Amino acid sequence: MTETKDLTRLSVNAIRFLAIDAVEKAKSGHPGMPMAMAPLAYLLYREVMRHNPLDPGWPNRDRFVLSAGHGSMLLYAILHLTGYNLPLEELKRFRQWGSKTPGHPEYGHTPGVEVTTGPLGQGISTAVGMALAEKKLAAEFNRPGYEVVNHYTYVLASDGDLMEGVSGEASSLAGHWKLSKLIVFWDNNHISIDGSTDLAFTEDVLARYRAYGWHTLRVEDANDLEALRHAIRLAQLDERPSLIAVRSHIGYGSPKQDSHKAHGEPLGPEAVEATRKNLGWPYPPFEVPEEVYRHMDMREKGRAWQEAWEELMEAYARAYPDLHQELLRRLKGGLPSLPEEPPAFDKPVATRAASGKALDAIAPRMPELLGGSADLTPSNNTQAQGMADFSPQNPTGRYLHFGVREHAMGAILNGLNLHGGYRAYGGTFLVFSDYMRPAIRLAALMGTPTVFVFTHDTIALGEDGPTHQPVEHLMSLRAMPNLWVIRPADAYETFYAWQVALRRKEGPTALILTRQVVPLLSPEKAKGALKGGYILEDAEDPEGILVATGSEVHLALKARALLAEKGRRVRVVSLPSFELFEAQPEEYRRKVLPPGLPTVAVEAGATLGWERYAHKVVGLDRFGASAPYPEVYEKLGFTPERVAGALEELL
């Protein structure tokens, strides 16, 4: 027993000193949290979690989300010690160019990292989506004696995570949804960058979480492994999500313990030496005793867990062959056969309504498709016909009511998509994309195929006025790397926009949709939207081009008619997606938009960015106004006459 305790203590200290040494070598990083929470990391990865270092993507693994991403060396150290493909050399290259150990954990970059974290609050909120995916998949696919989906989502969150508003939004939903397999550890160390958390954070956090509908517990000492074990057992037995407040000491064992100076900077050589003496660690930097490696190696256990699950899956395949085949397809991310032809439209419709019709056609053929809205379902048209509401009483429901929680919605959608088994989308007004921008950015950074449905896309909101009329949002979203923004011009382009979004696996897509009714284009021509941009109307030997997006395409068509009356030969280009258009061969792009041809862009939004395609822009570099939308358009200069005049000036 004494030998086991000694080996445990040695292993916990190995985690601490790998973190200390990596931060010292990099001369940059956050050593304090890994030093404090090393016992928890040891316990989770060595005793509690079912995971397989040989196959980090095993579908039925327990997930661990380091929401406090600044403590990344805690995660890198434990992944290294338990046998993941993260060699010691990578730890020595912490925070260096090209290493597998960046300053904050990055999904898809480091084996065993489930979520990109660092922006506080995002990790815990994304984990809510992961736990939701587990609950839904289990309800959909498990059968008596065949619990083929059965795993936990564990989170390590900091004071800062629980201060950020997004975590409150997401945690409220987690309690409402009774996500019993979500267990969050709060690193309650009383320290923030500015000093003591008492400077700004004195609320009763556990009372707040109990009000959310969570099960709450306390562990008075982060080094008390038995108390941690007991708390985890109680959390696993409860039907609610659990928050375990773990009293810890940042920079544990160092002269900087319980000081904000242990947070965001190396300890320094003298403090490191003192810490080695205090914790009885006689080894030089990056040296770990062999007995620790043997004790911590989880590869054989992980292989056995996965093999047992695979045997269960084989029996499941014999008992429920159709369910087994469908579950495998969805876990692998394979798409079913989607409708390729748009539904018929017999009259002009708003593109938000056309999006709803597209979902009606797609949802019955894509059972993994689920979505929701931030309390704007009738306005966003995001609930397909027959799509039942999700609730704790109906966990197989495919429609999620997020309430007025845009920020949490974005993160939860990302978690659903990261988990596997689902393709999730969510809707709100375009102007409120500001509230969820951090989640959109992380989706783009992680390459998560989340679909963001943004309706009410311009000053055409009219009477709601400038607070609700997006102006700068389109261009700001287009500025984000790896986010595809699609603003369709009519119902048919909208259908093809959904095709693009659902077939895209390398990153998120934002669909930008109108509130107002817009005319219909030719279905055959609208198929050009699949290339991001195309010639909608042409003239023999055109002398100028009008290029537009969304509802302004129809404005460009009217301007073209005015110019044609004057004998002008004008091409109209619909350009619903810059990013998709840029993905086409250069020869195609130059054919659609010849560089030397006088070009005017038309879009009811910020003009910045159009210079890549146009010589002149009819746009909007001010906020809108409250009035009926036809009047707003006219007063702000969005008329066929002004557009035609802009091109005439170039000609």
Side-chain angles (χ1 to χ4, degrees), residues 23 152 307 315 434 467:
V23 171
Y152 287 86
E307 286 177 352
D434 286 339
T467 61

Side-chain angles (χ1 to χ4, degrees), residues 211-386:
Y212 288 152
W214 286 54
H215 172 218
T216 64
L217 304 105
R218 285 189 185 276
V219 172
E220 295 301 333
D221 180 4
N223 293 298
D224 187 342
L225 291 180
E226 193 47 52
L228 283 170
R229 288 186 186 100
H230 182 63
I232 293 168
R233 283 194 291 270
L234 291 177
Q236 289 172 336
L237 292 171
D238 204 275
E239 65 178 11
R240 297 163 292 177
S242 294
L243 178 69
I244 304 174
V246 182
R247 179 67 175 104
S248 68
H249 296 276
I250 193 168
Y252 177 78
S254 79
K256 298 182 180 181
Q257 178 176 316
D258 295 327
S259 164
H260 66 279
K261 293 182 179 179
H263 173 74
E265 61 188 49
L267 295 178
E270 291 183 9
V272 170
E273 192 57 35
T275 307
R276 278 182 153 77
K277 289 179 181 175
N278 290 344
L279 296 179
W281 187 257
Y283 306 98
F286 296 105
E287 184 174 316
V288 176
E290 278 303 317
E291 59 264 37
V292 169
Y293 278 119
R294 288 194 296 271
H295 178 64
M296 295 292 291
D297 190 345
M298 294 297 292
R299 287 174 292 188
E300 285 308 311
K301 276 189 178 179
R303 189 202 307 272
W305 281 323
Q306 184 165 346
E307 286 177 352
W309 177 77
E310 288 169 352
E311 288 175 9
L312 178 63
M313 283 288 280
E314 288 174 6
Y316 180 67
R318 292 189 291 273
Y320 301 98
D322 292 343
L323 281 175
H324 175 263
Q325 187 176 8
E326 174 64 8
L327 177 59
L328 280 188
R329 179 189 70 79
R330 286 165 58 170
L331 291 175
K332 290 176 181 176
L335 281 177
S337 176
L338 297 177
E340 295 186 6
E341 295 303 319
F345 294 94
D346 56 5
K347 62 181 180 179
V349 295
T351 57
R352 61 170 175 156
S355 173
K357 293 293 185 185
L359 283 171
D360 288 344
I362 294 166
R365 295 170 64 168
M366 191 175 181
E368 66 268 41
L369 185 69
L370 76 160
S373 169
D375 199 48
L376 289 168
T377 297
S379 296
N380 297 150
N381 295 90
T382 38
Q383 188 165 13
Q385 289 181 2

Side-chain angles (χ1 to χ4, degrees), residues 486-506:
I486 310 178
R487 186 177 182 229
D490 86 324
Y492 298 114
E493 281 196 5
T494 302
F495 174 81
Y496 293 118
W498 269 106
Q499 294 279 321
V500 171
L502 293 177
R503 286 188 162 89
R504 186 169 191 236
K505 296 183 179 180
E506 303 78 23

